């Protein structure tokens, strides 16, 4: 989502930036060819997700540039080839991202944004396909303290989603607090950072894991 | 240089007031302002200027400020046309005036020329070391000084709530509620165009003001959000701030933009900002006043556990529902408290929370049960329901055509004394224990003369018109208390 005065970083660069502040991402590999993608998948453990990445690629899902649940090396190589073929000239330099496929019944979203009056903000919300309609979010101004992050969790209306759920343990609140504090710290130490989206933040065995990241910086 | 506490003292506790532009016409602001100052008991000297001189409301007006003795007035209330105000303020400052309330319109709300005039006004205020409030405001009220310098009504009873509003009419609304409920106001000010000083400046003064325990603010928009947040947070550490924001929805935001020229922000950001600052955000004007009245008259709850004491069933049930929708907890009745209550009540009582007396009371039951419940260490707050039943019967018997006689005087008097006794006991226990006890009955609005309603008023507390409104107010108290606890 590049605006007139900002530019987006690639998914890999976005993750690298936020990962330095403790935002939990999956181990993943950035590779160039279908063969390398297949090798990376076997090394990470199947099934995997393969995505096409690049500085100019922001809306991967809408463009069909995410392939989920690839079960074997041949499927990974085939998907990688198709993704590379789908790249357009205006995408610029592209690469392949290979990541383990994780499953969780619950999704959160978290991020940073810039408000015209209050400056940069941290957000936590309930994610998933109905996230926009549900609109269960809590926002604070950067910087936040631990107690603010704890309040944000308490603010969510859908508290039932944070407890034990469909055989999964309760959401690890400390781990969510760490994500929010990490986002706040990233904003504080990166003045040009304008927005960040962790969507989704999948809850895997109670712990939040970001499987996508999109950072926008002032240009 | 920013105005100091001394400037705010000049505004709120002036030794003398000048009404500039006093009018002989009772329909004009310049008449109403003088009338209100003279009729609410202000004890300082009052001067009035009028271009043509003459007497207005018994005050011999002056044609200019040169006749005002040096140092005799600290405040000038300005009703003159905008174009004449610069010269007026220079003369006033030369006479020792330190604060000016500008009711005149024709400034920032009035196009490019008006905006320029407003910028000039601020520059002049700085040059003259004046506090300038407004322009385009409705006035200032300060009950400790019996000062009602406003071009509108009403004048509220004295109390502990400090009001500031970006919309003058909400100052009136809050003061109307103060008059109705008896929970009074310390200071109230309409910020008007907020040229030199705005909402945050008055909140900072209220935080320092020994007359004010809670601030109540109406805001439509802020110009420097980040600084506004920092200032609100600092004030909230000193006193609770109850805030209601206009323009929270897209439609409201468009209306606010045309009303005060404020930029809209995502309401969820504003909401989060309030939570982070510890500001109590109310959804409506009525809810805001009730929250402020609660902070002004009730102790903060030490925790979220609420006991509901009711003389009859249905009230307790809906109150339990209301509590379940909040951050408050309906306390599961502890075993020892249940045992104690068993000793005070017949077997049919609810034996749970809500504590439903089931009509099983003797003349001493209600105070005894209330005290037993409130004193239990697990109970952080009490909502008291069913007050006013006896008073209601008494009122009907008093007005029913058989009074006096038939033994009615004795029973009517008994009922009314009992209501006073219950409500007095609630206030005394609450103060002694440092736990809120909120008395809720629709009689507060349907029969304000009811003995229980009058009993609550006599204690200086707020008679909540429904249990759900009492629960909303109590949740605001708890959320503020929790914010302070988590950060101490």
């Amino acid at each position: 989502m590049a605006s007139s005065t900002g530019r987006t970083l690639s998914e890999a660069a976005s993750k690298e930036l936020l990962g330095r502040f403790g935002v939990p991402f999956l181990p993943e590999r950035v590779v160039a060819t279908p063969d390398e993608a297949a090798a990376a998948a076997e090394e990470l453990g199947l099934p995997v997700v393969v995505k096409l990445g690049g500085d100019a690629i922001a809306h991967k899902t809408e463009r069909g540039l995410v392939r989920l649940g690839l079960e074997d090396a041949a499927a990974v190589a085939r998907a990688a080839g198709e993704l590379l073929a789908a790249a357009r000239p205006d995408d610029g330099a592209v690469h392949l991202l290979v990541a383990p496929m994780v499953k969780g019944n619950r999704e959160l979203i978290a991020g940073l944004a810039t408000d015209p009056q209050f400056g940069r903000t941290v957000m936590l919300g309930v994610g998933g396909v109905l996230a926009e309609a549900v609109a269960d979010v809590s926002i604070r101004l950067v910087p936040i303290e631990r107690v603010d992050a704890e309040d944000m969790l308490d603010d969510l209306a859908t508290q039932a989603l944070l407890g034990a759920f469909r055989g999964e343990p309760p959401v690890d609140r400390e781990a969510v607090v760490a994500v929010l504090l990490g986002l706040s710290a990233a904003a504080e130490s990166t003045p040009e950072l304008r927005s960040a989206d962790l969507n989704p933040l999948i809850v895997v065995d109670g712990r939040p894991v970001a499987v996508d990241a999109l950072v926008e910086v002032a240009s | 240089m920013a105005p100091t506490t001394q400037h705010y003292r000049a505004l709120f506790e002036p030794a003398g007031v000048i009404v500039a532009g006093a009018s002989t016409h009772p329909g004009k602001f310049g008449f109403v302002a003088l009338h209100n100052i003279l009729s609410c008991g202000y004890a300082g000297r009052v001067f009035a200027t009028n271009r043509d001189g003459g007497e207005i409301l018994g005050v011999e007006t002056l044609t200019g400020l040169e006749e005002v003795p040096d140092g005799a007035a600290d405040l000038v209330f300005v009703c003159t046309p905008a174009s004449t105000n610069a010269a007026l303020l220079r003369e006033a400052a030369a006479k020792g005036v330190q604060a000016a309330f500008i009711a005149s319109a024709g400034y920032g709300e009035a196009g490019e020329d008006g905006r320029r005039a407003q910028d000039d006004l601020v520059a002049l205020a700085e040059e003259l070391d004046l506090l300038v409030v407004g322009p385009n405001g409705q006035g200032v009220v300060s009950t400790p000084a019996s000062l009602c310098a406003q071009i509108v009504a009403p004048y509220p009873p004295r109390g502990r709530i400090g009001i500031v509003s970006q919309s003058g009419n909400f100052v009136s609304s809050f003061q109307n509620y103060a008059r109705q409920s008896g929970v009074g106001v310390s200071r109230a000010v309409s910020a008007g165009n907020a040229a030199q000083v705005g909402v945050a400046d008055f909140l900072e003064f209220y935080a320092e003001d020994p007359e004010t325990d809670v601030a109540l603010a109406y805001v439509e928009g802020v110009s420097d959000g980040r600084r506004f947040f920092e200032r609100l947070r600092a004030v909230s550490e000193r006193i609770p701030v109850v805030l209601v924001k206009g323009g929270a929805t897209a439609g409201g935001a468009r209306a606010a933009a045309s009303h005060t020229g404020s930029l809209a922000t995502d309401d969820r950001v504003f909401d989060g900002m309030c939570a982070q600052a510890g500001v109590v955000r109310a959804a409506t004007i009525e809810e805001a006043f009730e929250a402020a009245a609660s902070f002004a008259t009730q102790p903060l709850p030490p925790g979220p556990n609420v006991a509901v004491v009711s003389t009859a069933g249905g009230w307790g049930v809906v109150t339990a529902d209301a509590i379940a929708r909040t951050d408050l907890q309906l306390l599961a009745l502890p075993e020892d408290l249940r045992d104690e209550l068993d000793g005070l009540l017949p077997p049919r009582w609810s034996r749970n929370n809500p504590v439903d007396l089931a009509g099983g009371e003797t003349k001493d039951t209600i105070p005894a049960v209330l005290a037993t419940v409130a004193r239990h260490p697990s109970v952080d707050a009490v909502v008291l329901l069913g007050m006013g039943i006896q008073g209601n019967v008494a009122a009907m018997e008093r007005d029913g055509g058989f009074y006096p006689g038939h033994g009615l005087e004795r029973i009517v008097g008994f009922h009314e004394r009992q209501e006073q006794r219950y409500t007095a006991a609630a206030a005394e226990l609450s103060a002694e224990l440092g736990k809120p006890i909120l008395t809720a009955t629709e009689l507060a609005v349907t029969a304000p003369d009811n003995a229980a309603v009058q009993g609550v008023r006599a204690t200086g507390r707020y008679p909540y018109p429904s249990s759900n409104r009492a629960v909303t107010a109590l949740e605001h108290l708890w959320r503020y208390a929790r914010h302070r606890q988590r950060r101490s």
Side-chain angles (χ1 to χ4, degrees):
Chain A
M1 251 174 289
S3 68
S4 54
T5 53
R7 64 182 173 85
T8 54
L9 304 185
S10 71
E11 179 178 339
S14 298
K15 287 175 171 173
E16 195 279 320
L17 192 162
L18 298 176
R20 279 190 272 130
F21 297 92
V23 174
F25 292 106
L26 295 168
E28 63 183 24
R29 300 283 184 274
V30 177
V31 297
T33 68
D35 284 351
E36 288 173 18
E42 292 196 306
E43 195 186 314
L44 289 167
L46 290 151
V48 296
V49 179
V50 180
K51 310 179 202 179
L52 189 70
D55 280 354
I57 298 181
H59 300 284
K60 288 189 281 287
T61 307
E62 291 85 336
R63 286 183 54 193
L65 302 181
V66 181
R67 300 296 167 88
L68 302 171
L70 303 170
E71 302 280 353
D72 55 49
V76 171
R78 190 162 56 246
E82 288 165 8
L83 289 173
L84 290 170
R88 299 174 190 153
D90 58 356
D91 288 337
V94 296
H95 52 254
L96 295 161
L97 278 172
V98 185
M101 177 84 192
V102 294
K103 272 208 158 68
N105 286 316
R106 291 169 290 183
E107 291 184 4
L108 300 172
I109 49 177
L112 296 165
T114 302
D115 180 85
Q117 285 189 49
F118 291 98
R120 291 182 301 173
T121 60
V122 192
M123 185 270 282
L124 173 70
V126 172
V129 288
L130 301 178
E132 255 181 76
V134 171
D136 187 6
V137 305
S138 179
I139 296 174
R140 294 292 187 275
L141 310 188
V142 170
I144 57 167
E145 294 171 28
R146 169 168 295 274
V147 62
D148 298 313
E150 289 165 353
D151 283 351
M152 290 173 78
L153 265 165
D154 287 345
D155 279 355
L156 295 183
T158 323
Q159 288 294 314
L161 205 63
L162 303 176
F165 185 80
R166 293 199 179 182
E168 295 180 22
V171 170
D172 182 338
R173 297 172 73 94
E174 273 300 304
V176 177
V177 164
V179 171
L180 298 173
L181 290 172
L183 286 169
S184 176
E188 266 197 290
S189 58
T190 318
E192 67 275 18
L193 203 169
R194 290 165 50 95
S195 76
D197 284 327
L198 298 175
N199 185 14
L201 198 57
I202 298 184
V203 179
V204 181
D205 295 328
R207 291 185 65 83
V209 178
V211 298
D212 195 3
L214 180 60
V215 165
E216 184 193 353
V217 293
S219 49
Chain B
M1 214 182 86
T4 62
T5 304
Q6 192 189 330
H7 291 98
Y8 289 99
R9 294 250 160 260
L11 176 73
F12 288 117
E13 296 188 352
V17 180
I18 303 163
V19 177
S23 172
T24 55
H25 191 302
K28 300 260 188 188
F29 293 157
F31 179 95
V32 179
L34 180 62
H35 172 272
N36 290 353
I37 291 168
L38 294 173
S39 58
C40 293
Y42 175 64
R45 293 184 69 179
V46 179
F47 305 91
T49 71
N50 179 281
R51 212 173 33 192
D52 306 319
E55 192 192 288
I56 305 173
L57 295 169
V59 175
E60 196 59 46
T61 63
L62 315 171
T63 53
L65 293 188
E66 55 279 5
E67 296 168 62
V68 175
D70 284 349
D74 304 311
L75 171 65
V76 59
F77 192 92
V78 180
C79 302
T80 41
S83 59
T84 65
N85 287 346
L88 173 83
L89 292 178
R90 285 189 184 282
E91 289 178 63
K95 291 290 182 180
V97 164
Q98 295 182 66
F101 191 97
I102 316 277
S104 324
Y107 287 93
E109 81 290 356
E112 191 53 45
D113 287 353
R115 279 193 288 279
R116 209 163 21 246
Q118 187 160 312
D119 291 343
D120 292 346
L121 181 69
V122 174
L124 185 65
E126 313 268 309
E127 179 197 328
L128 299 175
D129 191 25
L130 265 182
L131 166 64
V132 168
V133 186
N136 194 28
Q138 296 194 345
V140 56
V141 162
S142 176
T143 56
S146 300
L147 178 69
C148 180
Q150 51 177 1
I151 58 176
V152 289
Y155 181 67
R158 186 168 179 177
R160 310 291 303 172
I161 303 174
I163 296 169
V164 58
S165 174
Q166 286 180 347
S167 170
N169 289 310
F170 282 133
V171 176
S172 300
S173 298
F174 290 137
Q175 294 185 132
N176 288 332
Y177 283 126
R179 278 177 72 92
Q180 182 208 19
S181 64
V183 177
V185 168
S186 55
R187 330 276 192 185
V189 64
S190 148
N193 293 358
Q196 185 197 25
V197 290
V199 167
D201 298 280
F202 288 101
L203 294 179
E204 283 170 352
F205 172 76
Y206 293 153
E208 306 279 328
D209 180 17
E211 297 289 337
T212 301
D213 287 339
V214 53
L216 173 56
Y218 173 80
V219 169
E220 277 180 12
V222 292
S223 44
D224 183 347
R226 188 52 71 143
R227 180 152 162 68
F228 187 70
F229 162 68
E230 299 291 352
R231 297 172 80 185
L232 279 187
R233 182 158 67 176
V235 171
S236 292
E237 284 173 11
R238 308 280 303 276
I239 57 170
V241 177
V242 179
L243 184 148
V244 57
K245 181 174 185 289
T249 62
R254 276 193 299 279
S258 60
H259 184 196
T260 55
S262 305
L263 265 176
T265 198
D266 182 337
D267 191 58
R268 297 173 307 180
V269 174
F270 196 88
D271 212 51
M273 182 280 289
C274 288
Q276 198 169 356
V279 165
V280 175
R281 188 175 179 195
T284 65
I285 294 296
E286 172 188 275
E287 180 184 320
F289 181 80
E290 285 179 354
S294 304
F295 281 107
T297 60
Q298 298 274 355
L300 289 180
N305 294 308
V306 184
V308 178
V309 175
S310 172
T311 58
W315 286 320
V317 176
V318 298
T319 308
D321 285 339
I323 289 169
R325 295 185 193 107
T326 67
D327 286 354
L328 298 166
Q329 298 290 328
L330 185 70
L331 176 73
L333 214 57
E335 205 57 48
D336 58 332
L337 179 52
R338 182 178 304 163
D339 292 347
E340 265 192 277
L341 292 175
D342 274 337
L344 296 170
L345 289 164
R348 65 173 181 278
W349 79 279
S350 64
R351 305 199 77 243
N352 213 328
N353 184 18
V355 176
D356 175 2
L357 277 52
E361 58 264 24
T362 67
K363 74 179 173 52
D364 299 320
T365 308
I366 290 173
V369 168
L370 182 61
T372 303
V373 170
R375 285 185 192 285
H376 195 280
S378 304
V379 172
D380 298 314
V382 179
V383 177
L384 177 61
L385 307 171
M387 296 299 98
I389 297 178
Q390 287 178 259
N392 219 16
V393 171
M396 194 156 176
E397 289 176 341
R398 195 190 277 279
D399 299 336
F402 294 98
Y403 185 96
H406 310 276
L408 287 171
E409 301 98 304
R410 198 183 61 79
I411 195 69
V412 164
F414 169 75
H415 284 322
E416 290 175 348
R417 282 192 306 279
Q418 284 292 88
E419 298 286 14
Q420 281 153 14
R421 193 180 151 214
Y422 304 152
T423 49
E428 282 160 21
L429 273 170
S430 169
E432 179 202 327
L433 300 170
K435 300 176 182 180
I437 300 181
L438 289 73
T439 304
T441 167
E442 71 287 349
L443 293 163
V445 284
T446 61
D449 293 335
N450 179 281
V453 180
Q454 289 299 316
V456 174
R457 286 186 65 132
T459 66
R461 297 198 171 207
Y462 186 81
Y464 297 84
S466 68
S467 62
N468 52 297
R469 278 160 69 169
V471 168
T472 298
L474 184 56
E475 187 188 25
H476 284 310
L477 296 184
W478 165 235
R479 290 175 66 112
Y480 178 77
R482 184 179 62 188
H483 182 90
R484 305 284 341 123
Q485 282 175 15
R486 286 182 173 176
R487 285 160 179 81
S488 64

